[in-house]
Amino acid sequence: YLLCASGDFVKVYSVSTEETLRLMGGHADLVTGIQLNPHNHMQLYSSSLDGTLKLWDFMDGIPIKTFTVGSKLLALYTPAGAEDSVFVVIPKKGERDTFQLVSVKLTKGTGQDLEAKELSVVLDGVGASMKHIAFGREGEYVVSVKDVNLQVYFFKRKLLNRFSLSTVKTKGGDNHFSCVVCHPTEDCIATGHADGKIRLWRNFHHRKEYTYSTLHWHHDTVMDLAFSMEGTRLLSGGVESVLVQWHNESSCQKDFLPRLGSPIEYISMSTDGALCCTLHTDNRITIINSNLRFSRSIQGLIKSRDVKTGLVVDPRTKALVLNGEPGHLQFYSLQSDQQLFSLDIVQRQYIHQAGLKQSDLVKVAFSAQGTWLATVEESEEVTDPELQLKLWFYHEETQSFKLNTRINTPHDNHITDMCFRDMDELEDDSLILVTTGRDCVFKVWVMVEDTDPEAQQSVSWSCDFVGSYHNYQATNCCFSEDGSLLAVSFEETVTVWDSLTWDLKCTFCHPPGNIRNICFGRLTCSKYLIGATDYGFLCCWNLLTCALEWSAHLNVVVLQPDPLSEHIAAVSWLSKESSLFVFKPNEPRPIYIQRNLCKEKILLAAFVPRDEPEMISSEKYLWLRRSQLFFLTDTQELMTLSTKSLEERLTPSSKQLAVEESLPVTPFSLLLGKHRRQQAQEDTDLGKPVVHNKQEQASPAVKEVRVITVNVQAKSQQTKSHKASVLSFQLLHTPAHVLPSASFLCTIFINSLLISKDNKSAEEIADEVEMEGEKAEDDSDEEDVTEMEQEDTSHMELLGETTCKLSKSQEKELRKIRKTDYSWISAF
């Protein structure tokens, strides 16, 4: 397993399949550190800015204990030598940007939520990053680095040694510490520095007799260091995107794993030393074998420098599409929380050098079925940008996009927006692309047959129409739902055009302020056009009356329509908080308001269609039934609105069932507790008819009793079959390390597949009654008629009926009739 802190959660990945196995949530703020419990490697400690420590059973995703410390926890350490305590970094009270390393005594108690207020200060003036502190020799001493200072504290001797390097930068050198790590078995400290050097410190038990040696390969800051489990190898990484492996602390013996894609931020070794993993600045984890060979990669949402493309949804995969690596489009799966693939659009080598003007991707648009993809790339020049418009066609055979048309300089200035019109993609005439630019025009691009005999494709794209309005800059464009109208905004004015004849139909204006966003209503609200101005107004115009329907004073920064309903989401930014308003154009009153949605400014939003409509009980969230709304903030955090609570989203259905029944959430109780209660309930329900039948003797009413018993027996068989399938599911889906022994479970499992002998069928009961009756007749032919009469009467009273008395000969004849097989009548 690979454990990773991700936002407010802790993720558990499978190393072999890269699959996200569990998502453990419960912290109310950013998770700052995760460490295995040194005394139980099936458990995990996590720390958070919410001031709590949590102990997890990460195999099942179950929180075991929560310790409330009170202060913000910035880093977490669990050395093996510390019993019943952990070490955390907290802010020092009364001083800004000053931090302390403290020991936290973990309180013992029976409850799940405990207070951990017993803190002991170990070091003052430490760094806030977890890479600035390391423990050596199973917790015998702790090392801290900050700026150009290194301090070592020995716990048993209670001795603190401080060492300092020169602050003077000579010959390009920079002695500032960037990270520190301790040798697992020897008294050796490795430190990384801002100038790319690595220093190996020894004999640091003495303040003046210490020594260090230097390793140097990196040309920039050493981001992180890690020793192998046996200590014979040292791994280092930095901005070069190269993992360096140093052997025997020698600068002459080193190996490299280059081209890892992006700078390395963290390095971690597995407990058995067979694997190591690197965390990169592009939100990617690379798993590497011990022989320094690439194994697997887990790619999350890439944090781009600037998301210029917006949030776009791929109609085929329902993945979010946005800027990824420089010049690339990333297709990000929301279901698996991983990148599906990356598409190289610019197709040029990106040079990581500050101040260099390079081309980047700025606009993206998909056709309705995802058959065509349009991209715009431009250089970073402000006055005279280099523009390219590319049209890509999706090939089913290769399952990828292939470049169809490249158009150089489609506009004379920056392209501000573009959109497709595709009423029916089977007809090429209906597929139209519109682009708007700061050159005060919008252009219409259509597909034409390629007359070049050497061309590899049969169609290409060319400009069909150019429109403008009073020499104003064109800023936004969108098509109506049926594709008959095109709306283009020119600064303060919105123009509406006929998409067949390209005639100007009408114009709308709501001064002051330029139009920031526009969109058409959908379904029953298709006659409305919505626009937001940068002066703080949200306007709704009626296309039938060509008049303003309503307006609201709201500073809308994001306006996003739901493609599957009439709802439109508007995100405002006011007083340093983002608020969400959901409304229908035919009514100015919002149907949903969420103020203070987040502290960050929301820049982009997108509705992603669900695979199946979600069952929502609350009327408040009915607008989320068919689509899910996602946001991207200015810090590039991707958020969404959920109709379920955190516990419902994180707890599997089997554990939810146990919680509803007030059971302890353990695999043992889920496996055996429910099984035993079902067994007891069935014994109670099925026992009464069986016992009642055993008390019966030969009578005319046995047929009626037989029918009832057969129905109960069929129900018993069906219940037993259901029990067996449920028990089989629980056995196969429960982690093996928490199951009882196989010998103990075998009897329970086999019994769940069998039908109990106690539940006899009605035919068996009737045969026993007949045999007993015949035996009694043979043994005593002189039986008193009065006793038979009393016996028959008792049966008649039980069924609520009355009959006449039968003689001994009549009773004997009746028994012969009962033995006759009348099953052949059923065929008629």
Side-chain angles (χ1 to χ4, degrees):
Y1 299 100
L2 177 63
L3 309 176
C4 173
S6 177
D8 303 347
F9 301 92
V10 177
K11 293 181 179 179
V12 182
Y13 291 102
S14 169
V15 175
S16 57
T17 65
E18 308 170 20
E19 181 186 3
T20 304
L21 300 179
R22 291 170 192 85
L23 185 65
M24 301 187 296
H27 285 293
D29 208 335
L30 184 70
V31 176
T32 55
I34 54 173
Q35 297 286 344
L36 289 176
N37 185 353
H39 309 295
N40 186 348
H41 282 186
M42 296 298 177
Q43 296 177 353
L44 175 80
Y45 283 104
S46 65
S47 63
S48 171
L49 292 179
D50 63 3
T52 62
L53 287 166
K54 285 185 179 291
L55 179 62
W56 304 85
D57 179 355
F58 65 85
M59 299 294 291
D60 301 317
I62 301 173
I64 302 174
K65 297 283 185 182
T66 299
F67 303 94
T68 302
V69 180
S71 301
K72 288 185 177 181
L73 309 181
L74 304 176
L76 172 66
Y77 309 91
T78 58
E83 295 183 2
D84 300 330
S85 64
V86 297
F87 294 85
V88 296
V89 175
I90 63 173
K92 187 174 182 179
K93 294 182 179 179
E95 297 186 25
R96 189 176 181 181
D97 297 332
T98 304
F99 307 97
Q100 296 176 315
L101 176 67
V102 299
S103 172
V104 180
K105 184 73 173 178
L106 299 181
T107 309
K108 294 184 178 180
T110 57
Q112 188 172 1
D113 297 324
L114 302 173
E115 296 283 338
K117 301 296 185 180
E118 188 177 340
L119 308 181
S120 302
V121 178
V122 179
L123 287 175
D124 262 329
V126 300
S129 172
M130 64 173 295
K131 294 187 289 186
H132 292 169
I133 296 176
F135 286 79
R137 282 290 189 98
E138 296 185 349
E140 290 186 8
Y141 57 89
V142 59
V143 185
S144 170
V145 296
K146 185 179 182 182
D147 297 332
V148 293
N149 302 311
L150 181 146
Q151 49 184 345
V152 184
Y153 179 77
F154 300 90
F155 288 97
K156 291 183 179 180
R157 298 163 55 190
K158 295 184 179 180
L159 175 65
L160 178 63
N161 289 342
R162 290 189 175 94
F163 310 95
S164 297
L165 297 175
S166 174
T167 59
V168 180
K169 298 181 181 180
T170 58
K171 297 181 181 181
D174 188 351
N175 292 328
H176 281 77
F177 290 96
S178 59
C179 56
V180 62
V181 66
C182 294
H183 196 284
T185 58
E186 301 177 4
D187 289 335
C188 175
I189 301 172
T191 59
H193 298 266
D195 58 1
K197 294 179 181 178
I198 300 172
R199 287 182 170 88
L200 299 174
W201 301 71
R202 293 186 181 276
N203 204 25
F204 44 81
H205 298 274
H206 308 281
R207 294 184 179 180
K208 296 183 179 181
E209 299 176 3
Y210 69 93
T211 61
Y212 64 78
S213 58
T214 304
L215 307 175
H216 196 186
W217 179 87
H218 299 277
H219 80 276
D220 209 330
T221 304
V222 179
M223 302 293 290
D224 200 13
L225 296 166
F227 275 106
S228 61
M229 291 297 103
E230 64 279 1
T232 57
R233 296 175 292 125
L234 175 65
L235 301 175
S236 64
V239 298
E240 304 87 1
S241 306
V242 177
L243 182 65
V244 185
Q245 181 175 259
W246 308 84
H247 295 276
N248 301 319
E249 304 173 9
S250 172
S251 60
C252 299
Q253 301 180 19
K254 53 183 178 290
D255 298 320
F256 304 94
L257 181 60
R259 295 184 292 276
L260 290 178
S262 60
I264 298 173
E265 279 194 320
Y266 292 95
I267 304 174
S268 178
M269 296 290 299
S270 63
T271 54
D272 59 358
L275 297 172
C276 79
C277 71
T278 56
L279 176 64
H280 300 261
T281 55
D282 62 353
N283 198 25
R284 177 167 46 88
I285 299 174
T286 303
I287 303 173
I288 302 166
N289 293 326
S290 58
N291 58 358
L292 218 62
R293 293 293 182 267
F294 174 84
S295 176
R296 295 181 180 276
S297 178
I298 302 173
Q299 178 68 70
L301 184 66
I302 295 177
K303 187 175 182 179
S304 178
R305 295 180 304 165
D306 188 11
V307 184
K308 301 176 182 178
T309 60
L311 286 184
V312 185
V313 180
D314 179 15
R316 289 180 174 272
T317 61
K318 296 181 182 178
L320 280 184
V321 181
L322 65 159
N323 289 98
E325 298 176 14
H328 289 68
L329 268 183
Q330 61 171 321
F331 288 70
Y332 173 73
S333 172
L334 298 166
Q335 289 75 22
S336 63
D337 190 22
Q338 293 186 25
Q339 185 186 101
L340 295 180
F341 62 94
S342 179
L343 182 63
D344 188 0
I345 302 296
V346 176
Q347 297 178 344
R348 296 180 186 176
Q349 180 65 36
Y350 186 83
I351 302 174
H352 294 271
Q353 181 177 343
L356 187 63
K357 304 295 183 181
Q358 303 182 75
S359 296
D360 201 2
L361 191 61
V362 293
K363 297 294 176 186
V364 170
F366 283 92
S367 61
Q369 302 301 321
T371 306
W372 288 93
L373 167 66
T375 62
V376 175
E377 59 191 69
E378 63 181 34
S379 63
E380 297 176 350
E381 297 290 343
V382 178
T383 56
D384 188 18
E386 179 185 347
L387 298 175
Q388 275 195 348
L389 172 64
K390 294 180 180 179
L391 280 302
W392 308 74
F393 181 73
Y394 186 82
H395 280 260
E396 294 287 349
E397 296 180 357
T398 60
Q399 294 289 299
S400 63
F401 286 95
K402 184 179 180 181
L403 181 62
N404 176 272
T405 305
R406 179 190 288 110
I407 303 170
N408 294 319
T409 318
H411 286 260
D412 295 332
N413 207 332
H414 293 277
I415 294 178
T416 56
D417 199 6
M418 66 177 178
C419 62
F420 275 99
R421 184 202 75 171
D422 41 352
M423 297 178 293
D424 186 0
E425 288 193 12
L426 298 178
E427 299 180 8
D428 295 339
D429 295 339
S430 67
L431 191 56
I432 294 175
L433 176 67
V434 174
T435 59
T436 60
R438 293 182 185 174
D439 56 354
C440 304
V441 298
F442 72 90
K443 293 186 177 182
V444 179
W445 308 85
V446 297
M447 282 192 296
V448 295
E449 293 186 2
D450 201 328
T451 57
D452 187 358
E454 298 182 358
Q456 297 181 355
Q457 62 269 355
S458 59
V459 296
S460 61
W461 291 76
S462 66
C463 183
D464 182 63
F465 178 78
V466 179
S468 63
Y469 184 78
H470 292 294
N471 205 31
Y472 294 150
Q473 287 188 357
T475 54
N476 299 277
C477 63
C478 66
F479 279 99
S480 60
E481 185 179 13
D482 60 359
S484 61
L485 297 176
L486 170 68
V488 182
S489 62
F490 291 89
E491 297 183 7
E492 295 185 356
T493 307
V494 180
T495 60
V496 180
W497 306 73
D498 189 329
S499 64
L500 295 179
T501 61
W502 301 117
D503 293 333
L504 179 61
K505 292 298 183 181
C506 61
T507 61
F508 301 107
C509 186
H510 193 282
N514 294 332
I515 300 297
R516 181 183 287 168
N517 307 99
I518 56 173
C519 69
F520 280 95
R522 304 183 68 86
L523 301 177
T524 60
C525 301
S526 59
K527 65 179 180 178
Y528 298 104
L529 177 64
I530 311 298
T533 70
D534 57 9
Y535 204 75
F537 281 96
L538 180 64
C539 309
C540 177
W541 293 283
N542 192 319
L543 297 172
L544 300 181
T545 61
C546 295
L548 180 66
E549 189 78 9
W550 54 266
S551 66
H553 191 63
L554 191 64
N555 183 28
V556 176
V557 294
V558 177
L559 190 66
Q560 187 64 39
D562 183 4
L564 300 180
S565 69
E566 302 93 342
H567 302 107
I568 297 177
V571 179
S572 69
W573 174 252
L574 185 63
S575 301
K576 296 184 179 181
E577 69 176 34
S578 295
S579 300
L580 173 64
F581 301 86
V582 180
F583 64 94
K584 290 184 179 181
N586 58 359
E587 186 177 354
R589 183 174 299 173
I591 62 173
Y592 178 83
I593 299 176
Q594 179 65 56
R595 299 190 183 276
N596 194 14
L597 186 63
C598 65
K599 298 178 182 179
E600 298 82 10
K601 184 178 181 179
I602 293 177
L603 301 180
L604 303 168
F607 276 99
V608 179
R610 301 183 188 272
D611 295 331
E612 294 181 0
E614 186 171 332
M615 299 300 296
I616 299 177
S617 57
S618 174
E619 187 177 352
K620 179 181 179 181
Y621 296 105
L622 283 178
W623 59 278
L624 286 172
R625 183 172 178 268
R626 303 189 63 184
S627 300
Q628 191 170 3
L629 183 60
F630 288 85
F631 309 98
L632 191 70
T633 66
D634 55 356
T635 58
Q636 296 199 19
E637 292 184 359
L638 185 64
M639 304 186 302
T640 185
L641 285 177
S642 177
T643 58
K644 297 180 180 179
S645 64
L646 180 64
E647 290 75 11
E648 291 175 335
R649 287 185 284 121
L650 298 180
T651 306
S653 57
S654 60
K655 295 180 182 178
Q656 288 183 16
L657 180 62
V659 171
E660 290 172 1
E661 297 178 356
S662 301
L663 291 175
V665 186
T666 62
F668 185 78
S669 67
L670 292 172
L671 179 68
L672 299 180
K674 187 174 180 62
H675 169 76
R676 289 173 175 172
R677 286 193 303 276
Q678 287 180 346
Q679 179 69 44
Q681 182 65 31
E682 289 167 9
D683 291 343
T684 303
D685 295 340
L686 300 178
K688 294 179 180 179
V690 173
V691 173
H692 177 73
N693 292 337
K694 284 184 177 180
Q695 293 176 350
E696 298 285 350
Q697 294 188 14
S699 72
V702 172
K703 277 189 179 180
E704 185 176 344
V705 176
R706 183 184 302 169
V707 175
I708 297 175
T709 311
V710 169
N711 290 339
V712 174
Q713 187 68 18
K715 181 179 178 181
S716 173
Q717 294 178 1
Q718 182 179 2
T719 306
K720 286 282 184 179
S721 175
H722 175 70
K723 280 173 48 185
S725 63
V726 171
L727 191 59
S728 301
F729 178 84
Q730 292 173 348
L731 275 172
L732 296 175
H733 287 74
T734 302
H737 72 281
V738 296
L739 282 174
S741 63
S743 59
F744 178 77
L745 292 176
C746 182
T747 305
I748 300 174
F749 182 72
I750 295 299
N751 287 339
S752 69
L753 304 176
L754 301 176
I755 300 174
S756 176
K757 287 185 177 182
D758 295 336
N759 300 335
K760 296 181 180 180
S761 65
E763 295 179 359
E764 292 175 349
I765 296 172
D767 291 341
E768 291 179 3
V769 173
E770 293 172 3
M771 290 176 65
E772 291 176 0
E774 291 176 358
K775 185 177 180 181
E777 181 182 359
D778 295 338
D779 292 343
S780 178
D781 292 335
E782 302 295 332
E783 188 175 2
D784 190 1
V785 179
T786 305
E787 294 179 3
M788 179 63 68
E789 290 175 354
Q790 291 177 353
E791 193 174 341
D792 292 340
T793 303
S794 65
H795 288 290
M796 295 306 105
E797 290 176 353
L798 181 64
L799 297 174
E801 298 178 2
T802 56
T803 61
C804 58
K805 298 178 181 179
L806 298 178
S807 63
K808 184 177 180 180
S809 59
Q810 290 174 333
E811 184 66 23
K812 186 175 181 180
E813 186 69 17
L814 183 60
R815 290 197 188 98
K816 292 180 181 180
I817 295 175
R818 282 210 317 270
K819 285 185 178 182
T820 306
D821 184 12
Y822 295 98
S823 61
W824 56 272
I825 301 177
S826 61
F828 297 92

